[in-house]
Amino acid sequence: MNAEVKNYLASIDRDSRRQDCQRLVKIMAEESGYQARLAGSMVCFGSYHYKYASGHEGDAMVTGFASRSQNISIYIMPGFSGFADELARLGKHKTAKSCLYIKSLSEIDEKILRRIIRASVKIMQQRYACQPEPPQT
């Protein structure tokens, strides 16, 4: 984990939230195959390049999360269609277009979260031809 990510995690005031975010870094790195990097206040894993029919293009993370005042926002970039069964068994959460909101890892099933992250990363890799990073030595 790079120094920027470590500093971001260390800046989280609540011990339980900081521990959850440290755990999320481990989970997301294991399930995505990407190393954590910081972009603003978001911990990002991987990147892909997109281009819209309008000509607008850019780069975005494959998955990631951010600690917000009310919850932890976990970014599931392809959205949640196809994840109804997993979401029904996940535990206490809310969703928006590509955001999964949780208060704490203790309120959800980590195995289900891992399954969602892993499957969403595969979708993004197929859709945008982004590949996992080589393991760090």
Side-chain angles (χ1 to χ4, degrees), residues 4-127:
E4 285 184 324
V5 174
K6 285 181 184 178
N7 290 338
Y8 170 74
L9 296 173
S11 74
I12 299 171
D13 291 336
R14 290 193 326 228
D15 288 340
S16 60
R17 174 68 61 84
R18 184 173 47 258
Q19 290 169 2
D20 280 352
C21 289
Q22 289 168 336
R23 179 82 182 131
L24 267 175
V25 168
K26 185 176 190 301
I27 290 168
M28 294 190 115
E30 289 173 357
E31 298 305 328
S32 73
Y34 299 108
Q35 297 300 313
R37 64 180 168 75
L38 196 64
S41 63
M42 297 183 296
V43 179
C44 303
F45 297 81
S47 66
Y48 68 96
H49 188 78
Y50 62 88
K51 185 173 184 177
Y52 297 134
S54 67
H56 177 79
E57 61 184 293
D59 296 301
M61 66 181 149
V62 173
T63 193
F65 73 90
S67 177
R68 304 293 187 211
S69 61
Q70 297 298 312
N71 51 50
I72 300 171
S73 300
I74 300 172
Y75 301 101
I76 304 298
M77 299 308 285
F80 297 100
S81 66
F83 291 110
D85 291 341
E86 289 87 351
L87 292 174
R89 296 179 304 159
L90 181 62
K92 192 173 179 180
H93 72 279
K94 294 180 183 179
T95 60
K97 186 174 181 178
S98 294
C99 291
L100 175 67
Y101 303 109
I102 65 169
K103 297 271 186 193
S104 165
L105 285 176
S106 66
E107 296 181 339
I108 63 165
D109 184 325
E110 184 180 309
K111 289 179 184 177
I112 301 295
L113 176 63
R114 284 177 173 272
R115 194 173 303 149
I116 292 169
I117 293 166
R118 187 172 44 248
S120 73
V121 168
K122 284 183 183 179
I123 291 167
M124 296 303 290
Q125 288 173 338
Q126 291 169 349
R127 192 176 289 169

